[in-house]
Amino acid sequence: MALPFFYKDDINPGLNTVVLDENTSKHIVQVLRMQNGEHLQLTDGKGKIFLCEIINNHRKKCEITFIKTSNIPHPTSNIAIAIS
């Protein structure tokens, strides 16, 4: 099964842990029922993907830690869309 994927615009990879906002935390803990130690993916929308682990599954302020950072490769082909 694919890891859940979430967006957070102000990610500082220099920090070890990040606290997610209330809506994202609620979705992770109550909807997906994820527990401490489970992994998820986080993106900043600028080409980086972070593999993260849940360390505190609080429904209002879920805390995660970074495991691995990777970059999304940029496409090398040019795409042209024509509309008539």
Side-chain angles (χ1 to χ4, degrees), residues 36-77:
N36 291 341
E38 290 191 70
H39 294 163
L40 57 90
Q41 291 181 335
L42 196 64
T43 185
D44 60 0
K46 299 173 188 163
K48 293 196 185 230
I49 296 179
F50 304 91
L51 178 64
C52 305
E53 181 179 343
I54 300 171
I55 56 174
N56 181 8
N57 64 338
H58 190 275
R59 68 181 172 92
K60 290 194 178 193
K61 51 183 190 236
C62 184
E63 190 173 0
I64 59 172
T65 185
F66 297 115
I67 297 173
K68 180 181 163 188
T69 302
S70 58
N71 291 323
I72 300 171
H74 295 289
T76 56
S77 64

Side-chain angles (χ1 to χ4, degrees), residues 8 10 15-22 24-25 42 55-56 58 60-66:
K8 182 169 174 59
D10 57 346
L15 299 174
N16 289 336
T17 62
V18 171
V19 177
L20 299 174
D21 62 60
E22 186 174 348
T24 304
S25 296
L42 196 64
I55 56 174
N56 181 8
H58 190 275
K60 290 194 178 193
K61 51 183 190 236
C62 184
E63 190 173 0
I64 59 172
T65 185
F66 297 115

Side-chain angles (χ1 to χ4, degrees), residues 1-6 32 34 38-41 51:
M1 184 169 119
L3 293 175
F5 199 80
F6 297 96
L32 297 177
M34 295 184 78
E38 290 191 70
H39 294 163
L40 57 90
Q41 291 181 335
L51 178 64

